[in-house]
Amino acid sequence: MADVLTFTDRGIYCPAGDFYIDPWRPVDRALITHGHSDHARPNMGRYLATIGTAPVMRHRLGEIDLQTTAYGQVMQIGDAAVSFHPAGHVPGSAQIRVAVKGEVWVVSGDYKTVADGLSEPFEPIACHAFITECTFGLPIFKWTPKDLLTTQINDWWAVNAAAGRTSILGAYALGKAQRLLATVDPEIGPILTHGAIEATNEVLRARGHPA
Ligand SMILES: [Zn+2]
């Protein structure tokens, strides 16, 4: 049995379907896990992504040849059956499942197994091979639990507000910024966002997200 996916100098490639997943160099057909710029790059011939990812990609990449798909919908591409499944990373983010002659491989993209109240929750997919991103997998990364972090951020802001100081939080415009907006307590004071975040919020609001 040949490999369902292989690594090339352009990215992860599926010979049976003649497509790439999140390629980093221009290719004819790119399947995109989510809208972050290290996964959805410009200059691909054709793109395929989830309905939830499409508005962010159009916002960031402009006029592109983009086909969309719903979570769980199976598409035949050459000899490969392809479907996208929630990755829990940012709204619209997907793992991509590729099945060739009964052999199933899954590419995680960026993913998060803890629900964030914003992204579609991560869905475990049975497979023979799982290609995982592991950005923060090293044991040196230890994250503060969400509830404690929420308290810390709001306490810090409240103390600053009482002292007449403005509080500034930096966060990636897609994903982290919306999680922060859902975290900070609007009772403490007015909340303003940077223009890049507001532009992303506009795209998400149009999709029905409370950003
Ligand atoms: Zn990402």
Side-chain angles (χ1 to χ4, degrees):
M1 173 85 216
D3 287 347
V4 171
L5 300 166
T6 60
F7 287 89
T8 75
D9 60 356
R10 292 170 188 271
I12 298 171
Y13 178 63
C14 175
D18 191 21
F19 60 79
Y20 291 81
I21 295 175
D22 293 351
W24 47 82
R25 292 204 188 128
V27 300
D28 175 48
R29 190 163 210 177
L31 276 54
I32 303 296
T33 58
H34 66 287
H36 280 154
S37 55
D38 55 336
H39 291 259
R41 293 183 170 84
N43 303 319
M44 305 300 163
R46 289 175 291 168
Y47 292 88
L48 174 64
T50 65
I51 295 163
T53 292
V56 173
M57 286 177 63
R58 290 207 172 91
H59 168 63
R60 295 182 161 196
L61 301 176
E63 276 297 310
I64 51 173
D65 181 349
L66 172 58
Q67 184 191 347
T68 59
T69 181
Y71 286 127
Q73 185 186 330
V74 179
M75 284 160 300
Q76 196 66 31
I77 303 179
D79 291 329
V82 173
S83 53
F84 289 55
H85 303 268
H89 173 51
V90 294
S93 66
Q95 309 167 70
I96 298 180
R97 180 187 187 274
V98 183
V100 178
K101 296 190 179 89
E103 177 87 2
V104 177
W105 287 33
V106 171
V107 176
S108 72
D110 288 337
Y111 67 107
K112 176 163 88 278
T113 55
V114 177
D116 63 12
L118 183 76
S119 314
E120 299 82 357
F122 178 86
E123 181 188 322
I125 310 290
C127 57
H128 298 98
F130 184 62
I131 299 175
T132 174
E133 290 261 347
C134 201
T135 314
F136 297 108
L138 290 172
I140 56 164
F141 295 107
K142 291 198 177 80
W143 308 114
T144 306
K146 183 172 177 281
D147 290 350
L148 178 58
L149 194 62
T150 299
T151 306
Q152 287 174 348
I153 289 172
N154 284 317
D155 287 353
W156 167 76
W157 181 20
V159 168
N160 287 343
R165 287 193 297 264
T166 299
S167 301
I168 298 176
L169 290 164
Y172 201 92
L174 170 63
K176 293 290 185 295
Q178 291 74 33
R179 288 178 70 192
L180 265 181
L181 282 170
T183 296
V184 289
D185 179 0
E187 301 282 306
I188 298 172
I191 300 165
L192 305 173
T193 55
H194 184 279
I197 291 170
E198 176 52 23
T200 305
N201 286 348
E202 213 170 285
V203 171
L204 292 174
R205 261 183 236 123
R207 290 273 309 146
H209 286 283

